[in-house]
Amino acid sequence: MTARVLVVEDAEPIRTAVAIALTEDGHDVRTLPDGDGFERELAAYRPDLVLLDVMLPGRDGFELLSLARETSNAGVILLTARDAVEDRLHGLRTGADDYVVKPFVLAELIARVEAVLRRMGRLRTVLTVGDLEVDVEAQAVRRAGTAIELTATEFKLLAFLAGRDGKVVGKTQLLAAVWGYDDYADNLVEVYVSGLRRKLEAHGPRLLHTVRGSGYVLRT
């Protein structure tokens, strides 16, 4: 699932939180606090996607968006506190792929990032773990050729785990990515993992493992 993402955001708490969330989602991330060095990063890092704050000191996000469109094939999502319709339209007409208004929920931002990357062909649409296939676009799951019926939440949980390439995922990370919660709800994750595990194991050996004290991992 890894893509190269460049985050250009002057607010340090937002920049750090977004970078951590993207890294946890499996992406390679670099950050800038303003437009200084933007051209250099575009050329050297060659990001698949740029998250670009509109209200930057010096050159604003619209100027950097135009530059990105002239010199790069990266996708661009604008981040801004300006919710005026004319601002959104201006960004989209200038070439932005999406527009997210602050304050935003990190889980929603990650979903927008993955949607843009998927449209650009930069993300796999079918994830495989052993004999398990998770078709993200079709929202379909098959194991050893047999279709498995899941609820929308179960599918989102499974797709998130399948996209981690065998990495352990903590409960709080799952809560943020799947449910959009910032607080800790132990039982909610455990209930859904248990239900998902039963459905998967009805068609083969265990794939969804519990790592005590750490979280869950999907692997053979």
Side-chain angles (χ1 to χ4, degrees):
M1 296 288 282
T2 298
R4 295 183 301 276
V5 183
L6 177 61
V7 180
V8 188
E9 165 64 61
D10 65 320
E12 193 277 333
I14 297 176
R15 186 171 67 249
T16 299
V18 169
I20 291 173
L22 287 168
T23 300
E24 290 180 343
D25 197 46
H27 302 296
D28 183 79
V29 183
R30 291 190 185 180
T31 64
L32 289 173
D34 51 42
D36 290 345
F38 184 68
E39 296 96 322
R40 183 172 59 253
E41 287 293 344
L42 284 180
Y45 184 48
R46 299 177 61 193
D48 296 300
L49 181 73
V50 179
L51 291 179
L52 191 55
D53 182 27
V54 171
M55 302 292 287
L56 290 169
R59 295 182 296 176
D60 67 17
F62 293 129
E63 182 179 347
L64 297 183
L65 169 60
S66 297
L67 180 61
R69 283 290 168 255
E70 292 171 4
T71 62
S72 169
N73 63 354
V76 178
I77 297 178
L78 294 177
L79 308 175
T80 183
R82 295 160 62 173
D83 192 20
V85 173
E86 56 268 26
D87 288 330
R88 296 201 301 271
L89 292 177
H90 178 60
L92 295 172
R93 286 168 178 164
T94 310
D97 295 282
D98 204 349
Y99 202 106
V100 179
V101 177
K102 302 174 185 175
F104 49 79
V105 176
L106 284 172
E108 178 187 358
L109 178 63
I110 296 300
R112 299 281 193 97
V113 165
E114 293 188 350
V116 171
L117 289 170
R118 194 171 294 115
R119 288 200 301 269
M120 297 173 62
R122 307 290 175 90
L123 283 182
R124 292 169 289 165
T125 58
V126 178
L127 309 172
T128 59
V129 181
D131 61 355
L132 178 70
E133 294 184 354
V134 182
D135 189 325
V136 177
E137 284 194 4
Q139 293 200 8
V141 177
R142 301 179 71 85
R143 185 161 193 198
T146 301
I148 301 177
E149 295 294 327
L150 300 180
T151 67
T153 301
E154 287 173 339
F155 181 85
K156 192 172 181 180
L157 174 61
L158 179 62
F160 186 82
L161 289 167
R164 305 288 77 74
D165 291 322
K167 297 176 183 175
V168 177
V169 182
K171 291 180 181 178
T172 52
Q173 186 180 348
L174 286 173
L175 280 168
V178 178
W179 287 273
Y181 293 172
D182 293 326
D183 55 351
Y184 196 77
D186 208 23
N187 291 339
L188 180 64
V189 177
E190 291 176 359
V191 167
Y192 273 89
V193 166
S194 178
L196 179 58
R197 181 180 283 145
R198 282 196 301 272
K199 291 184 179 182
L200 295 178
E201 292 182 8
H203 303 278
R206 176 159 296 190
L207 288 176
L208 180 48
H209 304 274
T210 299
V211 180
R212 293 191 181 278
S214 297
Y216 303 98
V217 60
L218 194 69
R219 64 187 176 204
T220 56

